[in-house]
């Protein structure tokens, strides 16, 4: 009798993950096509929706949106941000040396740039069109003032744009040229799904590039010490396709790795931890599956100061009703990573409403979660040290940018918010909606 080898088991798992990713993208595409047919992306062309004046959260409402302790300060629709497709995706932020705050707002046909003034009002500054064609998937991160933009669009590569160019824009918004206004256009890969930044080390990692390449869709490393000439020192391909990741200089309880560059990878069906200190020879530390896994999507450390726990979101568990997510409520999985070689799924947190999770980022003990139809959910996760089961986690604020399903208590579908940026020193938050536009918010907790 022949027994399956680790290689054949790994190949089977990779094939299954690819099937699930293809299904996930097809489900989204079908849903967005239906939204287009219903005119969902044309409803907010000239809508006010709080753009003229702030709408404080009073008695559970901020304008037409349900809320709790989160005020809407400003809003700009994707149409107002110069998009012809009027469809949004990712969002990230940058603070200039003199304290001005800017957002890079992803859209299917490019990246719009906004400035948030001292009052929280949004100003449309300009846009960078897509490098090739439109795609629902566009992702960006900022390293030292340069925004790095990737996309699932064919042959898009990586746009490198100096956000300091925004400082001199006065009057009408400027449409930047995809040739002369770029610092660089890196073409070492074609399409990508997400962009990961490790600013401390001047590194960018493109993930979700072609599965058929030598990198297999894993961590495609880019040294951006010279933004005008990004170079690739290596790749992490051992566990195949990486959907998203967080990379840090480790300073946690597993002291053998202190000072090492560690990436926490969300690899479709596992949490996979890799030491990337030696770019020419990265080392996989662990590969950890978990009960209820449907499609491992993204996650974040609860704290970068102690690095003992992380939160993981799965994009298909609510839809497929796997494990504890069978009730359709947004489920966040908690991992104890005090041993990088042996992470343990210690518990989970569930939102009060039904929705699919997408992206979350932590700051000062709070997880800012962008959960599709239920919008922004702010969860206090500080109890994780005392009780890693998640029973002490508590929602402390929210802003629901998709009111259409409020009466039903939420619906598990791919509308609403795509991502959130909570790291401005002012405390202002950017939330990018797929069908509406970008919101400037303030949490009053």
């Amino acid at each position: 009798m022949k027994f399956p080898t680790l290689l054949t088991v790994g190949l089977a798992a990779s094939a299954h993950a690819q099937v699930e990713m293809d299904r996930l993208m097809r489900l989204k595409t079908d849903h967005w096509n239906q939204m287009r047919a219903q005119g969902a992306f044309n409803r907010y062309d000239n809508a006010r929706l709080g753009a003229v004046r702030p709408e404080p959260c009073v008695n559970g409402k901020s304008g037409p949106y349900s809320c709790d302790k989160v005020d809407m300060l400003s809003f700009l629709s994707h149409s107002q941000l110069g998009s012809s497709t009027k469809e949004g995706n990712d969002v990230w932020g940058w603070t200039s040396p003199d304290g001005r705050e800017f957002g890079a707002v992803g859209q299917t046909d490019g990246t719009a740039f906004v400035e948030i003034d001292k009052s929280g009002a949004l100003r449309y500054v300009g846009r960078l069109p897509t490098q090739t064609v439109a795609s629902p998937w566009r992702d960006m991160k900022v390293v030292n003032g340069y925004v790095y933009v990737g996309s699932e669009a064919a042959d898009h590569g990586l746009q490198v744009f100096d956000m300091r160019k925004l400082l001199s824009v006065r009057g009408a918004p400027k449409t930047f040229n995809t040739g002369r206004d770029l610092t660089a256009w890196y073409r070492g890969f074609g399409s990508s799904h997400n962009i990961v930044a490790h600013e401390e080390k001047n590194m960018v990692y493109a993930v979700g590039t072609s599965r058929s390449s030598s990198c297999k869709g894993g961590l495609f490393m880019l040294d951006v010490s010279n933004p005008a000439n990004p170079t690739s020192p290596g790749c992490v391909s051992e566990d195949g396709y990486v959907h998203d990741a967080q990379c840090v200089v480790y300073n946690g309880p597993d002291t053998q790795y202190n000072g090492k560059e560690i990436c926490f990878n969300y690899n479709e069906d596992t949490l996979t931890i890799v030491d990337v200190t030696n770019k020419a020879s990265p080392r996989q530390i662990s590969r950890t599956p978990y009960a209820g896994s449907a499609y491992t999507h993204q996650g974040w450390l609860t704290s970068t100061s102690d690095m003992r726990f992380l939160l993981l979101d799965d994009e298909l568990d609510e839809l497929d009703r796997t494990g504890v997510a069978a009730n359709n409520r947004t489920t966040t999985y908690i991992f104890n990573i005090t041993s990088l070689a042996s992470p343990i799924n210690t518990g989970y947190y569930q939102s009060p409403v039904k929705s699919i999770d997408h992206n979350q980022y932590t700051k000062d003990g709070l997880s800012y979660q962008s959960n599709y139809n239920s919008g922004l959910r702010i969860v206090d996760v500080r109890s994780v040290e005392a009780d890693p089961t998640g029973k002490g986690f508590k929602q402390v604020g929210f802003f629901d940018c998709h009111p259409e399903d409020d009466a039903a208590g939420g619906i598990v579908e791919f509308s609403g918010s795509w991502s959130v940026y909570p790291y401005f020193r002012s405390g202002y938050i950017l939330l990018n909606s797929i069908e509406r536009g970008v919101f400037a918010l303030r949490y009053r907790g």
Side-chain angles (χ1 to χ4, degrees):
M1 178 182 292
K2 290 186 177 180
F3 294 94
T5 64
L6 289 176
L7 176 61
T8 58
V9 171
L11 289 173
S14 177
H16 174 73
Q18 180 173 355
V19 169
E20 289 303 287
M21 177 58 166
D22 291 344
R23 179 171 75 95
L24 176 59
M25 294 180 77
R26 186 170 61 252
L27 286 168
K28 291 182 178 182
T29 300
D30 289 348
H31 179 67
W32 296 331
N33 284 338
Q34 183 181 30
M35 290 175 66
R36 292 185 193 104
Q38 295 170 346
F41 298 107
N42 296 318
R43 294 173 186 164
Y44 311 101
D45 287 4
N46 299 302
R48 175 179 152 283
L49 291 177
V52 175
R53 60 183 177 82
E55 295 277 6
C57 181
V58 178
N59 297 324
K61 286 291 184 180
S62 176
Y65 304 106
S66 297
C67 61
D68 178 30
K69 294 192 288 291
V70 179
D71 300 327
M72 177 171 62
L73 303 178
S74 185
F75 170 86
L76 288 173
S77 71
H78 290 302
S79 177
Q80 290 170 310
L81 294 175
S83 173
S84 58
T85 57
K86 308 166 189 175
E87 302 172 23
N89 39 60
D90 198 39
V91 66
W92 206 248
W94 172 65
T95 301
S96 70
D98 62 354
R100 293 169 65 183
E101 295 178 338
F102 294 87
V105 182
Q107 299 167 327
T108 59
D109 55 351
T111 304
F113 300 109
V114 296
E115 181 173 9
I116 310 165
D117 72 14
K118 298 297 183 183
S119 70
L122 291 168
R123 178 175 74 94
Y124 172 37
V125 181
R127 64 181 291 102
L128 178 66
T130 182
Q131 197 67 30
T132 53
V133 296
S135 168
W137 291 274
R138 187 171 307 280
D139 201 76
M140 63 283 299
K141 296 295 183 294
V142 176
V143 175
N144 296 327
Y146 293 89
V147 61
Y148 295 84
V149 184
S151 174
E152 285 280 6
D155 301 319
H156 186 278
L158 188 72
Q159 296 173 309
V160 184
F161 177 79
D162 188 349
M163 293 189 73
R164 283 166 283 257
K165 290 178 179 285
L166 306 176
L167 298 175
S168 60
V169 176
R170 299 287 185 270
K174 178 177 180 179
T175 298
F176 294 96
N177 186 278
T178 57
R180 62 179 178 272
D181 287 322
L182 288 182
T183 300
W185 176 27
Y186 181 81
R187 285 169 277 185
F189 58 84
S191 63
S192 61
H193 197 79
N194 278 308
I195 302 299
V196 178
H198 189 186
E199 189 164 17
E200 185 177 357
K201 290 295 183 178
N202 285 311
M203 289 295 299
V204 163
Y205 299 88
V207 299
T209 57
S210 173
R211 293 178 191 264
S212 61
S213 70
S214 59
C215 197
K216 301 178 183 177
L219 289 176
F220 190 107
M221 304 177 182
L222 283 172
D223 183 334
V224 295
S225 300
N226 178 3
N229 185 31
T231 58
S232 180
C235 174
V236 176
S237 60
E238 182 177 351
D239 195 32
Y241 190 97
V242 177
H243 189 274
D244 212 336
Q246 181 184 10
C247 299
V248 299
V249 174
Y250 185 76
N251 182 30
D254 201 344
T255 55
Q256 64 182 308
Y257 294 105
N258 280 350
K260 302 289 189 180
E261 295 174 52
I262 303 297
C263 289
F264 300 91
N265 299 341
Y266 302 91
N267 281 23
E268 302 193 291
D269 56 3
T270 61
L271 165 65
T272 300
I273 302 176
V274 181
D275 181 348
V276 297
T277 309
N278 183 346
K279 303 296 185 293
S281 184
R283 186 172 74 86
Q284 183 168 301
I285 301 171
S286 61
R287 182 180 188 276
T288 307
Y290 55 96
S293 165
Y295 191 84
T296 310
H297 180 262
Q298 188 260 358
W300 214 251
L301 296 170
T302 59
S303 169
T304 54
S305 61
D306 63 25
M307 301 186 182
R308 295 172 57 85
F309 294 90
L310 64 73
L311 308 176
L312 178 151
D313 46 73
D314 188 301
E315 199 174 5
L316 277 176
D317 57 344
E318 295 90 4
L319 188 67
D320 288 353
R321 295 177 177 267
T322 59
V324 295
N327 57 11
N328 289 149
R329 288 164 57 192
T330 313
T331 302
T332 303
Y333 299 87
I334 304 164
F335 281 79
N336 181 320
I337 52 169
T338 52
S339 168
L340 297 185
S342 304
I344 302 170
N345 178 202
T346 59
Y348 62 91
Y349 162 78
Q350 287 197 312
S351 170
V353 296
K354 298 176 181 178
S355 184
I356 300 170
D357 40 20
H358 201 222
N359 292 299
Q360 64 178 316
Y361 300 98
T362 60
K363 177 185 176 183
D364 298 332
L366 301 178
S367 176
Y368 294 79
Q369 302 186 345
S370 174
N371 292 340
Y372 281 114
N373 277 24
S374 65
L376 171 66
R377 300 281 155 167
I378 303 175
V379 182
D380 187 334
V381 301
R382 288 174 291 183
S383 65
V384 69
E385 296 280 348
D387 181 6
T389 66
K391 291 179 180 178
F393 284 19
K394 181 182 179 182
Q395 178 176 283
V396 293
F398 74 88
F399 180 87
D400 189 341
C401 65
H402 186 82
E404 288 85 348
D405 66 346
D406 287 4
I411 297 175
V412 287
E413 61 184 15
F414 302 103
S415 310
S417 66
W418 184 287
S419 196
V420 59
Y421 182 79
Y423 296 116
F424 288 124
R425 297 169 196 159
S426 62
Y428 297 145
I429 301 163
L430 288 179
L431 183 72
N432 196 12
S433 160
I434 297 169
E435 68 270 23
R436 282 174 164 81
V438 66
F439 297 84
L441 306 172
R442 176 178 55 201
Y443 170 56
R444 292 187 284 103

